[in-house]
Amino acid sequence: MAYTQDNSPFKKLKHTTTGKGRHFLKAKEGAGMTQAGRDAYNKETGGDLKAPQPGGGARRDSYCARSKGQMNMHNIDCSKTPDKRICAARRRWKC
């Protein structure tokens, strides 16, 4: 059984990848949240989500390490399944 958080702010967001004001990109577009999605999340939670940092830096290093752990945990090989969302997001972050 998967663990779910009942009070997660992501549950309150529209999980849409099509149409005007969509909050997430499709996997073919690089996955991840759109600016509208980040704005909605920040408004809901008072957070400060930022856009991907493909140019390098501490945020990029942290994301790449974290996502590598997710890939290992779920046995995902991007050379075999490049259309997975995690693989697209890692390409977008230039991991």
Side-chain angles (χ1 to χ4, degrees):
M1 183 165 99
Y3 174 76
T4 59
Q5 286 183 303
D6 294 330
N7 59 353
S8 173
F10 280 109
K11 285 192 173 219
K12 296 175 184 170
L13 284 179
K14 296 185 297 180
H15 286 274
T16 180
T17 58
T18 58
K20 184 177 180 179
R22 65 191 180 147
H23 289 171
F24 294 92
L25 295 172
K26 293 181 180 183
K28 290 182 180 180
E29 297 173 316
M33 293 181 86
T34 63
Q35 185 61 49
R38 286 189 297 274
D39 291 343
Y41 179 87
N42 289 340
K43 182 179 178 184
E44 180 69 36
T45 64
D48 189 24
L49 284 180
K50 295 176 177 67
Q53 186 184 28
R59 283 181 49 236
R60 177 179 169 248
D61 295 343
S62 177
Y63 173 78
C64 291
R66 197 168 56 249
S67 63
K68 181 70 171 171
Q70 292 171 346
M71 287 176 49
N72 291 339
M73 181 173 45
H74 296 289
N75 297 321
I76 296 171
D77 184 0
C78 288
S79 64
K80 294 179 183 175
T81 56
D83 294 337
K84 294 261 187 195
R85 293 187 69 80
I86 188 77
C87 299
R90 284 178 57 84
R91 279 193 306 271
R92 188 170 178 219
W93 280 78
K94 298 183 180 166
C95 292

